Amino acid sequence: MTDGLRVDIDGPVATLTLDRPEALNALTVALKVGLREALERIAADRTVRAVILTGAGRAFCAGQDLAEREQPDAAPLDEELRERYNPIIRALRSMGQPVIAAVNGVAAGAGASLAFACDLRIASADARFVLAFGKIGLVPDSGATWFLPRLVGSTRAAELALVGDPVGADQALRLGLVSRVVTAEELMPEARTLADRIAAGAPLALALTKLALDRSWSIGLEEALEDEAKLQGIAGASTDHAEGLAAFRQKRPPQFTGE
Ligand code: T3D
């Protein structure tokens, strides 16, 4: 659909595939713009209830396309972050649908940041995360300095960001960077099964859960308790809550509509 991005919508699940395998799915301007637009379109599509982000070929994403960065007309780095990377990270966090990163291979630089910004990460045994920024004299960006300590704790985040050694799939599982590791063949079926299970949930409740989890990082317990009460008031007034109760009573699976 877009240069370097495939968007497949199959029932309630949208799969976004970064598709520049010859450059390990490195992020060009066209791909960044396409990815942001696709996320925004999907966010507004009520038929999509879960999203999978993955890469074509042997990589998830090698971060910024370094060949494009060296072009004389490349935007300054701060501008590139503000205009193109940060909106992608905001779109991932603000969309109501949960996003699963199916990390099929190397995730380097902003490619790792993209995976960190998803709600869930599952990895194939071939996956590795590389905080490649330092090797080219840059600072971790696209949310990496914010997500990483929250995902693995400050001590491990500092080691990953300052030393930059690659983290293989098994280590990523031990660190809590991913929640599951499967074989390369199993990765997409596993991601789809997970996405289908999420998609069977109540969309409004899922969106509010995502919001509450994100907000919990910046508020105290008292505020979180009040937040939960407000959000539960909204979820409790939904048709889906009534449907959930009826389904429980009638011993059948619920049919949620997002209302
Ligand atoms: O706008 C801004 O710059 C600000 C934003 C910055 C955010 C960032 O993401 S900064 C970090 C940028 N990314 C990197 O520094 C990673 C560079 N790549 C690597 O370190 C390694 O390629 C990997 C560790 C990812 C994988 O290594 P390996 O040995 O498995 O593969 P390879 O042989 O290095 O790469 C295979 C091909 O992909 C190769 O092309 P070729 O020689 O076969 O034609 C290589 O040049 C290409 N490739 C890999 N990464 C990139 C890339 N091409 C363009 N950009 C890349 N990032």
Side-chain angles (χ1 to χ4, degrees), residues 27 79 121 209 216 229:
L27 299 161
E79 182 183 320
R121 281 156 296 286
T209 303
S216 76

XYZ file of all heavy atoms in Angstrom, residues 27 79 121 209 216 229:
46
model
N 13.993 2.447 8.438
C 12.905 3.420 8.318
C 13.296 4.606 7.443
O 14.133 5.431 7.822
C 12.508 3.898 9.718
C 11.992 2.770 10.625
C 12.071 3.183 12.100
C 10.565 2.391 10.265
N 14.442 17.601 14.235
C 13.223 17.800 13.437
C 12.634 16.443 13.014
O 11.427 16.239 13.076
C 13.579 18.643 12.205
C 12.396 18.957 11.323
C 12.826 19.738 10.075
O 13.699 20.637 10.170
O 12.296 19.417 8.994
N 4.977 -7.657 23.387
C 6.041 -8.074 22.489
C 6.202 -9.584 22.595
O 6.389 -10.088 23.719
C 7.404 -7.431 22.869
C 7.586 -5.995 22.436
C 8.598 -5.276 23.292
N 8.090 -5.214 24.655
C 7.114 -4.407 25.049
N 6.578 -3.578 24.218
N 6.655 -4.443 26.300
N -8.389 0.178 29.528
C -7.331 -0.523 30.281
C -5.957 -0.035 29.830
O -5.069 0.261 30.649
C -7.444 -2.048 30.056
O -8.745 -2.467 30.457
C -6.390 -2.805 30.838
N -0.805 5.161 34.739
C -0.313 4.743 36.061
C 1.147 5.128 36.281
O 1.599 5.266 37.403
C -0.482 3.229 36.234
O 0.509 2.548 35.504
N -11.946 4.351 39.117
C -13.383 4.524 39.396
C -14.065 5.213 38.217
O -15.136 4.799 37.765
C -13.572 5.323 40.682
